[in-house]
Every structure is written in structure tokens, then in C-alpha cells.
Amino acid sequence: MTKSYQIVEVVGSSANSIQEAVRAAVDGAKIEGPSWFEVREVRGRIDGGKVAEFQVRVAVGTPRG
């Protein structure tokens, strides 16, 4: 069986955690029936010497055909 997938890259952010940032990215992906995700990059923002925000670049995929 041969399959193909559509992939959308989305950036999610959260002041609380990387996991919350991933959920924000997956929830914000504008594709029907997402079935998997891959975290491609983790970064963040520092404010006043402390971590202020987590940011993740996530690929979200859905089967096609």
C-alpha cells in the first residue's frame, strides 16, 4: 500500500511549557484530520534573565489519497 501525506508547519508558543506550545501549534494547524506531529525546533524568549516564553516549530501531517 502506498500513501502520501500533507504536511503543514506551524509555530506554537506558551508562557508555561513546551507541551502547551506543541498543543497550541497542533490545534492551530489548518488541516483536516491531522494524524501525527513532529517537533522540528524548540526555542524561547528570555525577559529579565528568566524564561518568559517557549516556542516550538511543529510539522503536522495528515494522510492524503
Coordinates of all heavy atoms in Angstrom, one line a residue:
M1 N 0.8 -1.2 0.0 CA 0.0 0.0 0.0 C 0.9 1.2 0.0 O 1.9 1.3 0.7 CB -0.9 0.0 1.2 CG -1.7 1.2 1.3 SD -3.1 1.2 2.6 CE -2.4 0.5 4.0
T2 N 0.6 2.2 -0.8 CA 1.3 3.4 -0.9 C 0.5 4.6 -0.4 O -0.7 4.7 -0.6 CB 1.6 3.7 -2.4 OG1 2.3 2.6 -3.0 CG2 2.4 5.0 -2.6
K3 N 1.1 5.5 0.4 CA 0.4 6.6 1.0 C 1.2 7.9 0.7 O 2.4 7.8 0.5 CB 0.2 6.4 2.5 CG -0.7 5.4 2.9 CD -0.9 5.4 4.4 CE -2.0 4.4 4.8 NZ -2.3 4.5 6.3
S4 N 0.5 9.0 0.8 CA 1.1 10.3 0.8 C 0.5 11.1 1.9 O -0.6 10.8 2.4 CB 1.0 11.0 -0.6 OG -0.4 11.2 -0.8
Y5 N 1.3 12.1 2.3 CA 0.8 13.0 3.4 C 1.0 14.4 3.1 O 1.9 14.8 2.3 CB 1.7 12.7 4.7 CG 1.5 11.3 5.2 CD1 2.2 10.3 4.8 CD2 0.6 11.1 6.2 CE1 2.1 9.0 5.3 CE2 0.4 9.8 6.7 CZ 1.1 8.8 6.3 OH 1.0 7.5 6.8
Q6 N 0.0 15.2 3.6 CA 0.2 16.7 3.5 C 0.8 17.1 4.8 O 0.4 16.6 5.9 CB -1.2 17.4 3.4 CG -1.1 18.9 3.4 CD -2.5 19.5 3.4 OE1 -3.5 18.9 3.5 NE2 -2.5 20.8 3.4
I7 N 1.8 18.0 4.8 CA 2.5 18.5 6.0 C 2.3 20.0 6.0 O 2.6 20.7 5.0 CB 4.0 18.1 6.0 CG1 4.1 16.6 6.0 CG2 4.7 18.7 7.2 CD1 5.6 16.1 5.8
V8 N 2.0 20.5 7.2 CA 1.9 21.9 7.4 C 2.8 22.2 8.6 O 2.8 21.5 9.6 CB 0.4 22.4 7.8 CG1 0.4 23.8 8.2 CG2 -0.5 22.1 6.6
E9 N 3.6 23.3 8.5 CA 4.5 23.7 9.6 C 3.8 24.9 10.3 O 3.3 25.8 9.7 CB 5.9 24.1 9.1 CG 6.7 22.9 8.8 CD 8.2 23.3 8.8 OE1 8.5 24.5 8.8 OE2 9.0 22.3 8.7
V10 N 3.8 24.8 11.7 CA 3.1 25.8 12.5 C 4.0 26.1 13.7 O 4.7 25.2 14.2 CB 1.8 25.2 13.0 CG1 1.0 26.3 13.8 CG2 0.9 24.7 11.9
V11 N 4.0 27.3 14.1 CA 4.8 27.7 15.4 C 3.7 27.9 16.5 O 2.8 28.6 16.3 CB 5.6 28.9 15.1 CG1 6.3 29.4 16.5 CG2 6.7 28.7 14.1
G12 N 4.0 27.3 17.6 CA 3.1 27.5 18.8 C 3.9 28.1 19.9 O 5.2 27.9 20.0
S13 N 3.3 28.8 20.8 CA 4.0 29.4 21.9 C 3.2 29.2 23.2 O 2.0 29.1 23.2 CB 4.3 30.8 21.6 OG 3.2 31.6 21.5
S14 N 3.9 29.3 24.3 CA 3.3 29.2 25.6 C 4.2 29.8 26.7 O 5.4 29.6 26.6 CB 3.0 27.8 26.0 OG 2.6 27.7 27.4
A15 N 3.6 30.5 27.6 CA 4.4 31.0 28.7 C 4.6 29.9 29.8 O 5.5 30.1 30.7 CB 3.7 32.2 29.4
N16 N 4.0 28.8 29.7 CA 4.0 27.8 30.7 C 4.9 26.6 30.4 O 5.6 26.1 31.3 CB 2.6 27.2 31.0 CG 1.7 28.4 31.5 OD1 2.1 29.1 32.3 ND2 0.5 28.4 30.9
S17 N 4.8 26.0 29.2 CA 5.6 24.8 28.9 C 5.7 24.5 27.4 O 5.0 25.0 26.6 CB 4.9 23.6 29.6 OG 3.7 23.3 28.9
I18 N 6.7 23.6 27.1 CA 6.9 23.2 25.7 C 5.7 22.4 25.3 O 5.2 22.5 24.2 CB 8.2 22.4 25.6 CG1 9.4 23.3 25.8 CG2 8.2 21.7 24.3 CD1 10.7 22.6 25.9
Q19 N 5.2 21.5 26.2 CA 4.0 20.7 25.9 C 2.8 21.6 25.5 O 2.1 21.3 24.5 CB 3.6 19.8 27.0 CG 4.6 18.7 27.3 CD 5.8 19.1 28.2 OE1 6.0 20.3 28.5 NE2 6.6 18.1 28.6
E20 N 2.6 22.6 26.2 CA 1.5 23.5 25.9 C 1.7 24.2 24.6 O 0.7 24.5 23.8 CB 1.3 24.6 27.1 CG 0.0 25.2 27.1 CD -0.2 26.1 28.3 OE1 -0.6 25.5 29.4 OE2 0.1 27.3 28.3
A21 N 2.9 24.6 24.3 CA 3.2 25.2 23.0 C 3.0 24.2 21.8 O 2.5 24.6 20.8 CB 4.7 25.7 23.0
V22 N 3.3 23.0 22.0 CA 3.0 21.9 21.0 C 1.5 21.8 20.8 O 1.0 21.8 19.7 CB 3.6 20.6 21.4 CG1 3.1 19.5 20.5 CG2 5.1 20.6 21.3
R23 N 0.8 21.8 21.9 CA -0.7 21.7 21.7 C -1.3 22.9 21.0 O -2.2 22.8 20.2 CB -1.3 21.5 23.1 CG -1.1 20.1 23.7 CD -1.9 19.9 25.0 NE -1.7 18.6 25.5 CZ -0.8 18.3 26.4 NH1 0.0 19.2 26.9 NH2 -0.6 17.0 26.8
A24 N -0.7 24.1 21.3 CA -1.2 25.3 20.6 C -0.9 25.2 19.1 O -1.7 25.6 18.3 CB -0.5 26.5 21.2
A25 N 0.3 24.7 18.7 CA 0.6 24.5 17.3 C -0.3 23.5 16.6 O -0.8 23.8 15.5 CB 2.1 24.1 17.2
V26 N -0.5 22.4 17.2 CA -1.3 21.3 16.6 C -2.7 21.8 16.5 O -3.4 21.6 15.4 CB -1.2 20.0 17.4 CG1 -2.3 19.0 16.9 CG2 0.2 19.4 17.3
D27 N -3.3 22.4 17.5 CA -4.6 23.0 17.5 C -4.8 24.1 16.4 O -5.9 24.3 15.9 CB -5.0 23.5 18.8 CG -5.2 22.4 19.9 OD1 -5.3 21.2 19.5 OD2 -5.3 22.7 21.1
G28 N -3.7 24.8 16.1 CA -3.8 25.9 15.2 C -3.5 25.5 13.7 O -3.6 26.3 12.8
A29 N -3.1 24.2 13.5 CA -2.9 23.7 12.2 C -4.2 23.7 11.4 O -5.2 23.1 11.9 CB -2.2 22.4 12.2
K30 N -4.2 24.2 10.2 CA -5.4 24.3 9.4 C -5.5 23.2 8.4 O -5.5 23.4 7.2 CB -5.5 25.7 8.7 CG -5.5 26.9 9.6 CD -6.7 26.9 10.5 CE -6.6 28.1 11.4 NZ -7.5 28.1 12.5
I31 N -5.5 21.9 8.9 CA -5.6 20.8 8.0 C -6.7 19.9 8.6 O -6.9 19.8 9.8 CB -4.3 20.0 7.8 CG1 -3.7 19.5 9.1 CG2 -3.3 20.9 7.0 CD1 -2.5 18.7 8.9
E32 N -7.3 19.1 7.7 CA -8.4 18.2 8.2 C -7.8 16.9 8.6 O -6.9 16.3 7.9 CB -9.4 17.9 7.0 CG -10.3 19.1 6.7 CD -11.3 18.8 5.7 OE1 -11.8 17.6 5.6 OE2 -11.6 19.7 4.8
G33 N -8.2 16.3 9.7 CA -7.8 15.0 10.2 C -6.3 14.8 10.4 O -5.7 13.8 10.0
P34 N -5.7 15.7 11.2 CA -4.2 15.5 11.5 C -4.0 14.2 12.2 O -4.8 13.8 13.0 CB -3.9 16.7 12.3 CG -5.1 17.2 12.9 CD -6.2 16.9 11.9
S35 N -2.9 13.5 11.8 CA -2.7 12.2 12.4 C -1.4 12.1 13.1 O -1.1 11.1 13.9 CB -2.8 11.1 11.4 OG -1.9 11.3 10.4
W36 N -0.5 13.0 12.9 CA 0.8 13.0 13.6 C 1.5 14.4 13.6 O 1.1 15.2 12.9 CB 1.8 12.0 12.9 CG 2.0 12.2 11.5 CD1 1.3 11.7 10.4 CD2 3.1 13.0 10.9 NE1 1.9 12.2 9.2 CE2 2.9 13.0 9.5 CE3 4.1 13.8 11.5 CZ2 3.8 13.7 8.7 CZ3 4.9 14.5 10.6 CH2 4.8 14.4 9.2
F37 N 2.5 14.5 14.5 CA 3.2 15.7 14.5 C 4.7 15.4 14.8 O 5.0 14.4 15.4 CB 2.7 16.8 15.6 CG 2.9 16.4 17.0 CD1 4.1 16.7 17.7 CD2 2.0 15.6 17.7 CE1 4.3 16.4 19.0 CE2 2.2 15.3 19.0 CZ 3.4 15.7 19.7
E38 N 5.6 16.4 14.4 CA 7.0 16.2 14.7 C 7.5 17.6 15.1 O 7.3 18.6 14.4 CB 7.7 15.8 13.4 CG 9.2 15.8 13.5 CD 9.9 15.6 12.2 OE1 9.2 15.3 11.2 OE2 11.1 15.7 12.1
V39 N 8.1 17.7 16.3 CA 8.7 18.9 16.8 C 10.0 19.1 16.0 O 10.9 18.3 16.1 CB 8.9 18.9 18.3 CG1 9.6 20.2 18.8 CG2 7.6 18.8 19.0
R40 N 10.2 20.2 15.3 CA 11.3 20.4 14.5 C 12.3 21.4 15.1 O 13.5 21.4 14.8 CB 10.9 20.9 13.1 CG 10.2 19.8 12.4 CD 10.2 20.0 10.9 NE 9.7 18.8 10.2 CZ 9.3 18.8 9.0 NH1 9.4 19.9 8.2 NH2 8.9 17.6 8.4
E41 N 11.8 22.2 16.0 CA 12.7 23.2 16.6 C 12.0 23.7 17.9 O 10.8 23.8 18.0 CB 12.8 24.4 15.7 CG 13.7 25.5 16.2 CD 13.9 26.7 15.2 OE1 13.1 26.7 14.2 OE2 14.7 27.5 15.4
V42 N 12.9 23.9 18.9 CA 12.4 24.4 20.2 C 13.3 25.6 20.5 O 14.5 25.6 20.4 CB 12.6 23.4 21.4 CG1 12.2 24.0 22.7 CG2 11.8 22.1 21.1
R43 N 12.6 26.7 20.8 CA 13.3 27.9 21.2 C 12.5 28.7 22.2 O 11.4 28.2 22.6 CB 13.6 28.8 19.9 CG 12.4 29.2 19.2 CD 12.7 30.1 18.0 NE 11.5 30.5 17.3 CZ 11.0 29.9 16.3 NH1 11.5 28.8 15.8 NH2 9.8 30.3 15.7
G44 N 12.9 29.8 22.6 CA 12.2 30.6 23.6 C 12.6 32.0 23.7 O 13.5 32.5 23.0
R45 N 12.0 32.7 24.6 CA 12.3 34.2 24.8 C 12.6 34.3 26.2 O 12.0 33.8 27.1 CB 11.0 35.0 24.4 CG 11.2 36.5 24.5 CD 10.0 37.2 23.9 NE 8.8 36.9 24.6 CZ 8.4 37.4 25.8 NH1 9.1 38.3 26.4 NH2 7.2 37.1 26.3
I46 N 13.6 35.2 26.5 CA 14.1 35.5 27.8 C 13.8 36.9 28.1 O 14.1 37.8 27.3 CB 15.6 35.2 28.0 CG1 15.9 33.7 27.7 CG2 16.1 35.6 29.3 CD1 17.3 33.3 27.6
D47 N 13.2 37.2 29.3 CA 12.9 38.5 29.7 C 13.4 38.7 31.1 O 13.0 38.0 32.0 CB 11.4 38.7 29.6 CG 11.0 40.2 29.8 OD1 11.9 41.1 29.7 OD2 9.8 40.4 30.0
G48 N 14.2 39.7 31.3 CA 14.7 39.9 32.7 C 15.6 38.8 33.2 O 15.5 38.5 34.4
G49 N 16.2 38.0 32.4 CA 17.1 36.9 32.8 C 16.3 35.7 33.1 O 16.9 34.7 33.5
K50 N 15.0 35.6 32.8 CA 14.2 34.4 33.1 C 13.5 34.0 31.8 O 13.1 34.8 31.0 CB 13.2 34.7 34.2 CG 13.8 35.0 35.5 CD 12.9 35.0 36.6 CE 13.6 35.3 37.9 NZ 13.1 34.8 39.1
V51 N 13.2 32.7 31.7 CA 12.4 32.2 30.6 C 11.0 32.8 30.6 O 10.3 32.7 31.6 CB 12.4 30.7 30.6 CG1 11.4 30.2 29.5 CG2 13.7 30.1 30.4
A52 N 10.6 33.5 29.6 CA 9.3 34.1 29.5 C 8.4 33.4 28.6 O 7.1 33.5 28.7 CB 9.5 35.6 29.0
E53 N 8.9 32.7 27.6 CA 8.0 32.0 26.6 C 8.7 30.9 25.9 O 9.9 31.0 25.7 CB 7.6 33.0 25.6 CG 6.6 32.5 24.5 CD 6.3 33.6 23.5 OE1 7.2 34.2 22.9 OE2 5.1 33.8 23.3
F54 N 8.0 29.8 25.7 CA 8.5 28.6 25.0 C 7.9 28.7 23.6 O 6.7 29.0 23.4 CB 8.1 27.3 25.6 CG 8.6 27.1 27.0 CD1 7.9 27.5 28.1 CD2 9.9 26.6 27.2 CE1 8.4 27.3 29.4 CE2 10.4 26.4 28.5 CZ 9.6 26.8 29.6
Q55 N 8.7 28.4 22.6 CA 8.2 28.5 21.2 C 8.7 27.2 20.5 O 9.8 26.7 20.7 CB 8.8 29.6 20.4 CG 8.5 31.0 21.0 CD 9.3 32.1 20.5 OE1 10.3 31.9 19.8 NE2 8.9 33.3 20.8
V56 N 7.8 26.5 19.7 CA 8.1 25.3 19.0 C 7.7 25.4 17.6 O 6.6 26.0 17.3 CB 7.5 24.1 19.7 CG1 8.1 23.8 21.0 CG2 6.0 24.2 19.7
R57 N 8.5 24.9 16.7 CA 8.1 24.8 15.3 C 7.8 23.3 15.1 O 8.6 22.4 15.3 CB 9.3 25.2 14.3 CG 8.9 25.1 12.9 CD 9.9 25.8 12.0 NE 11.3 25.2 12.2 CZ 11.8 24.3 11.3 NH1 11.2 24.0 10.2 NH2 13.0 23.9 11.6
V58 N 6.5 23.1 14.6 CA 6.0 21.7 14.6 C 5.5 21.4 13.2 O 4.8 22.3 12.6 CB 4.8 21.6 15.6 CG1 4.2 20.2 15.5 CG2 5.3 21.9 17.0
A59 N 5.8 20.3 12.6 CA 5.2 19.8 11.4 C 4.0 18.9 11.8 O 4.1 18.0 12.6 CB 6.2 19.0 10.6
V60 N 2.9 19.2 11.2 CA 1.7 18.4 11.4 C 1.3 17.7 10.1 O 1.2 18.4 9.1 CB 0.5 19.3 11.9 CG1 -0.7 18.5 12.2 CG2 0.9 20.1 13.2
G61 N 1.0 16.4 10.2 CA 0.7 15.7 8.9 C -0.6 15.0 9.0 O -1.2 14.7 10.0
T62 N -1.2 14.9 7.8 CA -2.4 14.2 7.6 C -2.4 13.3 6.3 O -1.7 13.8 5.3 CB -3.6 15.2 7.5 OG1 -4.8 14.5 7.5 CG2 -3.5 16.1 6.3
P63 N -2.9 12.1 6.3 CA -2.9 11.3 5.1 C -3.6 11.9 3.9 O -4.7 12.5 4.1 CB -3.5 10.0 5.6 CG -3.7 10.0 7.0 CD -3.6 11.5 7.4
R64 N -3.1 11.6 2.8 CA -3.8 12.1 1.5 C -3.9 10.9 0.6 O -2.9 10.1 0.5 CB -3.0 13.2 0.8 CG -3.1 14.5 1.6 CD -4.5 15.1 1.5 NE -4.6 16.3 2.2 CZ -5.6 16.6 3.1 NH1 -6.5 15.8 3.3 NH2 -5.6 17.8 3.7
G65 N -5.0 10.8 -0.2 CA -5.1 9.7 -1.2 C -5.2 8.4 -0.6 O -4.8 7.4 -0.9

